[in-house]
Amino acid sequence: MKKRSLLLSALALGSLATLAYAQTPALKKGLKITLLPKNINNPYNVIQTGGGAAAGKETGAVVKVVGPSDAGASSQVSYINTAIAQRQDALILAANDANALLPYLARAKASGMKIVTMDSDTAVSGRTLFINQANSEGIGRAQVQLLGKLIGYKGDIAVLSATPNATNQNTWIKWMQEELKLPKYKDMKLVKIAYGNDDDQKSFTEMQGLIQAYPNLKGVISPTTVGISAGARYLSTSPSKGKVMLTGLGTPNQMRAFVKDGTVTAFQLWNPADVGYLATYAAAALVSGQISGKQGEKFKAGKLGEYTIGKNGEIIVGPPYTFDKANIDKFDF
Amino acid sequence: MKTLRNLPGWETTLALLVIVALLGGGLLSRDFLTTQNLSFLTANFSEILLMALTMTLLVIVAEIDLSVASILGLCSAVLGVLFAAGVPMPLAILASFVAGGLAGLLNGLLVTRLGLPSLAVTIGTLALYRGLAFVLLGDRAVAEFPQAYTNFGFGTVPGTLIPIPIALGVALAILTAVILHATPFGRSLYAIGANEVAARFSGLRVERTKLLLFVMSGLMSALAGVVYTFRFASARGDNAAGFELGVIAAVLLGGVSIFGGRGSVVGAVLAVFLIGLINGALTIVDVSNEILTIVTGLLLIGSVLVPNLVARVQTARQRRTSREATVSP
C-alpha cells in the first residue's frame, strides 16, 4: 500500500515535472528580427551584429542588420519605422539617443514588436530588455582576479585610473577593493591609486612614477582604454617589462602589439559578439513567450547558457572577456 | 506636331515620377503602400519640405542659403536651453523664431550690404550657426518636453494618417505658391533672378527683396527646428546636420534653375516627395546605406542635368518652330 502510494506520487510528480517542462514553449522558428546598431561599418558593431546573426542561424530566425552610417540622434528613426512597416517580430538596437527614439519605440511596441536594447540603453519605458555587457561588480572583481593570477597572488599592486571623479572608474575600484578583502589576496597590497586623467601623456608619466616609487610593484590595473595603452607603451621600453604585470580594460586593436611583444599578458573587455548573440536569443525568447521581461524569469541562450532577467529588465552578459595571445587575433575593433 | 511643341512641363514629369515611385515601391515590397508606412515616410521629410519652400524663392533670385540646417540646429538648441532653464514653452518657441530671423538677417545683410556671394556667406554661417548651437547645448540633449508639444511633431491630423508637420508643410507650400505665382512680389523674384541689372533699372528694390528672403529662410528654418525638436522630442546641437543637401537637391530636382529666374513651388514640393519616396522604397527593401547615399548623389547630379537638358531641347524646338514660321509664307 505504502509502496504503491509512493510510486503514485512519484508518477504524479513526474508528470507535473513534464507538464512544467512542456509549459516552457519552444523557440519559434522563422522569427523576423531586425538588428539596429548605432551605425554600420564600425568594426565593434560589425562583430556585435555578427554575434546576433550567428544566434539567428542557431534559432532559425531571419536576422537582418540595418543601420545608419552616422550615429546621429535621429538617424535610427527611419529604420525603426521600416521595421514596423515590415512587421518584424523583434527589434534589437543600440540606441544613439536615450530619448529621441522613445515615441517611435512606443509605436513599434504598439504594433506588437518586442524591443530589446544592447550596449546603449534607452529609458526603461522604451524597451522590454536591456542587454548590458557587464556590471560594475563583475568588472571590478574580474580585474583583480586576472591580476592575481598573473602575479601569483603576491606583491604590491597599483591602479592607474582616469580622473578622480569618474563615476564608473570609482565604482570599479570600490569592487576591486572588495575583492581584495578575500583571503586568497592576503599577500597582495594595493599601494596606490594614480590618475592619468584619460590623457595619454599624463597616464604615461603616472605609470613611470608608479614603477619608480614602488620597487616591489608587481602589477598595475588600468581600467581605462587610454590608461592601459599609455601604461603599456611606457612599460614596453622600460626594464620592468615582463616583471611588472599590466592589465585592465582595453580594445584588442589598441593592445595587439603589446600582447605580441610580451609587455602585456592578458587584459579584458567584453566580447561584442556575445552581446549581439545574447540579445538575439533574448529577443527570440520574448517573441516565443518563454519570457515576458519580468525580473527573475530565466531563459537559455545557446552556448552562453542560462540567463536570469534582473531589475528593470536588465540582463548582464557576464564577467568581462579576457584577451590574450591565443585569442586576440580573432578580434578587430 | 502640336503635342511635341507642348512638351509636358517638368512638373508633370515629376508628378508622373512620383506615381512611378509609389507603384515601384509597391511592387518591391507589399509593406510599402500601406497608409501607415506612407505616413511614417512623409513625416520623415517634413523639415526638408518646409525649408525647400523658402529655398525655392532664394534660388529663383539666384541666391542660395546653405546655412538652413545649421539655423535649424541653432533654433532647436535655443528652444531646448530656454525650456530646460524654466522658460514657458510659448516664449521659448518665440525666442527660437527670433534666433532664426536674426540668423537669416545676418546672412541677408552680408549678401546685400557687403555684396558678398551668398554661397560663400552661407558656407561660413553654416559653420558659425552650428558652432553656436554646440556652444549652447554642448553634447547635451534636452528631451523632457510636454506631451502636448511632442504630439504636435509626432501626431497625425485627427481622423487621418497625415502627419501634422506634413499638413503644415503643404499648407505653407500653397501659401508660398500663391505668393510666388500670383502676386507682383512673386513676379518680381523671377525678374530679379532672370536679370538683376534690368530688374534694378526697372525700379525693383533688389536688395530689400533679397534681405527679406534671407530673413524668411531663417524663420522657416526656425519653424523646421521647432518641428524637428518636437518630432524627435530631442533638442540637440547636431539636429538635422547635413539636411541642407537634401533641401538643395529637392529644389534643383524640382526644376528651379540654379542660375535663377526659373522654377516653381509645385516642382520643388513634388521633388521633395519623389526623393523621399525613393529613399523610403529602397530602405524598406533593405538597400544598404551606401547605395542610398549614391542614389541621392545621382539624383542631385540628375537634378541639375535633366531640367537643363529639357530646357535646352525646348528652346531648340522653339527656335526651329519660329524658323519654320518665318520660312513658310
Side-chain angles (χ1 to χ4, degrees):
Chain A
M1 181 65 200
K2 223 176 187 176
K3 228 182 200 172
R4 207 172 143 187
S5 70
L6 210 75
L7 193 74
L8 266 176
S9 43
L11 264 174
L13 264 176
S15 53
L16 257 178
T18 19
L19 208 71
Y21 184 76
Q23 266 168 353
T24 305
L27 281 185
K28 285 185 186 152
K29 297 275 170 200
L31 294 178
K32 291 189 285 180
I33 300 177
T34 291
L35 253 171
L36 178 53
K38 283 191 165 187
N39 58 340
I40 46 169
N41 301 335
N42 162 330
Y44 180 88
N45 291 337
V46 169
I47 296 180
Q48 191 172 53
T49 51
K57 242 180 222 156
E58 289 174 24
T59 58
V62 184
V63 174
K64 158 157 64 185
V65 179
V66 292
S69 43
D70 67 297
S74 47
S75 320
Q76 288 177 317
V77 165
S78 67
Y79 294 95
I80 298 176
N81 285 339
T82 305
I84 301 174
Q86 291 171 329
R87 292 184 286 260
Q88 298 285 294
D89 296 306
L91 172 73
I92 301 169
L93 84 155
N96 282 339
D97 186 300
N99 293 296
L101 303 172
L102 287 180
Y104 301 90
L105 292 174
R107 194 151 74 179
K109 250 187 196 172
S111 79
M113 205 185 301
K114 302 290 181 196
I115 316 287
V116 175
T117 53
M118 59 180 179
D119 263 355
S120 171
D121 200 8
T122 63
V124 173
S125 65
R127 47 68 177 173
T128 307
L129 296 175
F130 169 47
I131 312 299
N132 199 355
Q133 307 106 341
N135 66 359
S136 307
E137 178 176 355
I139 291 174
R141 288 188 186 276
Q143 297 262 285
V144 171
Q145 287 157 7
L146 175 62
L147 186 63
K149 224 182 283 170
L150 291 174
I151 64 172
Y153 302 95
K154 217 172 195 158
D156 287 352
I157 63 165
V159 170
L160 175 57
S161 178
T163 53
N165 47 17
T167 322
N168 57 349
Q169 298 276 329
N170 289 342
T171 320
W172 293 334
I173 293 170
K174 193 192 87 194
W175 283 111
M176 289 179 199
Q177 287 164 329
E178 283 300 310
E179 178 75 11
L180 281 168
K181 284 178 189 161
L182 299 179
K184 67 171 164 179
Y185 303 107
K186 63 178 181 347
D187 296 329
M188 272 166 69
K189 192 174 154 219
L190 178 59
V191 290
K192 166 105 179 174
I193 299 170
Y195 297 97
N197 292 344
D198 259 351
D199 174 272
D200 185 74
Q201 274 310 311
K202 177 96 163 68
S203 306
F204 187 89
T205 328
E206 287 293 323
M207 183 71 184
Q208 187 178 21
L210 283 174
I211 287 176
Q212 279 161 1
Y214 302 95
N216 291 327
L217 196 70
K218 288 284 175 290
V220 176
I221 300 175
S222 186
T224 147
T225 54
V226 179
I228 190 174
S229 62
R233 213 174 64 246
Y234 172 74
L235 205 55
S236 66
T237 57
S238 93
S240 303
K241 176 178 166 182
K243 290 181 196 131
V244 174
M245 289 292 142
L246 172 66
T247 185
L249 300 178
T251 71
N253 284 354
Q254 217 183 5
M255 301 303 293
R256 195 177 322 275
F258 301 120
V259 168
K260 298 221 157 150
D261 77 4
T263 307
V264 170
T265 312
F267 65 96
Q268 297 177 317
L269 202 67
W270 28 88
N271 180 347
D274 287 349
V275 178
Y277 184 89
L278 177 54
T280 303
Y281 264 97
L286 262 181
V287 180
S288 308
Q290 288 184 348
I291 50 173
S292 65
K294 282 196 211 70
Q295 184 172 0
E297 287 177 332
K298 289 175 197 302
F299 67 101
K300 286 209 176 64
K303 62 169 190 201
L304 291 181
E306 192 178 69
Y307 280 87
T308 309
I309 301 175
K311 223 175 107 193
N312 285 331
E314 187 174 324
I315 300 169
I316 288 146
V317 178
Y321 187 85
T322 303
F323 297 92
D324 55 24
K325 227 175 210 164
N327 64 21
I328 196 163
D329 280 335
K330 286 187 211 147
F331 297 92
D332 178 18
F333 68 96
Chain B
M1 282 326 254
K2 206 162 193 172
T3 44
L4 264 183
R5 256 173 250 162
N6 301 325
L7 260 183
W10 184 236
E11 287 81 1
T12 321
T13 316
L14 281 174
L16 288 174
L17 286 174
V18 166
I19 294 169
V20 169
L22 274 171
L23 296 178
L27 283 177
L28 284 175
S29 163
R30 69 195 170 104
D31 298 321
F32 183 73
L33 279 182
T34 61
T35 42
Q36 186 196 41
N37 183 50
L38 292 177
S39 168
F40 293 171
L41 249 182
T42 47
N44 237 3
F45 51 76
S46 42
E47 293 87 9
I48 302 250
L49 173 62
L50 288 170
M51 293 187 288
L53 299 177
T54 37
M55 188 71 84
T56 302
L57 305 184
L58 273 172
V59 176
I60 284 177
V61 297
E63 298 291 349
I64 200 162
D65 183 355
L66 292 174
S67 68
V68 284
S70 297
I71 299 180
L72 188 165
L74 177 61
C75 295
S76 177
V78 167
L79 179 63
V81 160
L82 291 182
F83 178 70
V87 174
M89 190 59 100
L91 274 182
I93 294 176
L94 185 69
S96 71
F97 274 100
V98 171
L102 286 176
L105 183 67
L106 177 62
N107 283 340
L109 286 176
L110 288 172
V111 171
T112 58
R113 293 290 151 88
L114 299 183
L116 300 171
S118 54
L119 188 75
V121 165
T122 55
I123 282 181
T125 53
L126 176 152
L128 172 69
Y129 298 150
R130 186 64 73 186
L132 286 176
F134 282 117
V135 167
L136 284 177
L137 265 184
D139 51 8
R140 208 148 58 87
V142 179
E144 274 79 35
F145 295 107
Q147 196 163 6
Y149 290 96
T150 52
N151 280 349
F152 161 78
F154 184 69
T156 51
V157 177
T160 67
L161 274 171
I162 302 169
I164 294 172
I166 279 294
L168 178 71
V170 170
L172 284 174
I174 294 170
L175 182 68
T176 315
V178 169
I179 291 174
L180 180 63
H181 303 297
T183 67
F185 174 74
R187 279 193 295 277
S188 75
L189 301 187
Y190 287 108
I192 294 170
N195 190 335
E196 198 177 309
V197 180
R200 198 170 276 131
F201 275 119
S202 40
L204 290 177
R205 293 155 113 166
V206 174
E207 267 66 40
R208 218 178 67 169
T209 306
K210 285 187 175 176
L211 189 64
L212 180 66
L213 290 183
F214 276 106
V215 173
M216 280 169 67
S217 177
L219 289 172
M220 192 63 101
S221 303
L223 176 63
V226 172
V227 168
Y228 192 101
T229 309
F230 291 143
R231 203 157 75 78
F232 295 107
S234 176
R236 284 170 56 132
D238 67 350
N239 273 357
F243 271 36
E244 62 277 345
L245 280 183
V247 175
I248 289 158
V251 169
L252 297 187
L253 181 64
V256 184
S257 166
I258 191 80
F259 308 110
R262 210 171 51 226
S264 72
V265 173
V266 181
V269 172
L270 285 170
V272 170
F273 277 81
L274 180 62
I275 297 176
L277 288 172
I278 292 174
N279 266 309
L282 293 179
T283 310
I284 209 163
V285 293
D286 299 320
V287 166
S288 74
N289 215 277
E290 294 89 333
I291 304 291
L292 272 180
T293 316
I294 291 172
V295 169
T296 314
L298 288 176
L299 275 176
L300 206 98
I301 295 170
S303 65
V304 186
L305 211 62
V306 176
N308 264 307
L309 284 179
V310 170
R312 231 175 254 187
V313 169
Q314 271 171 335
T315 25
R317 282 225 168 89
Q318 271 159 14
R319 224 177 273 153
R320 200 185 312 148
T321 10
S322 55
R323 217 182 297 140
E324 276 165 12
T326 39
V327 169
S328 56

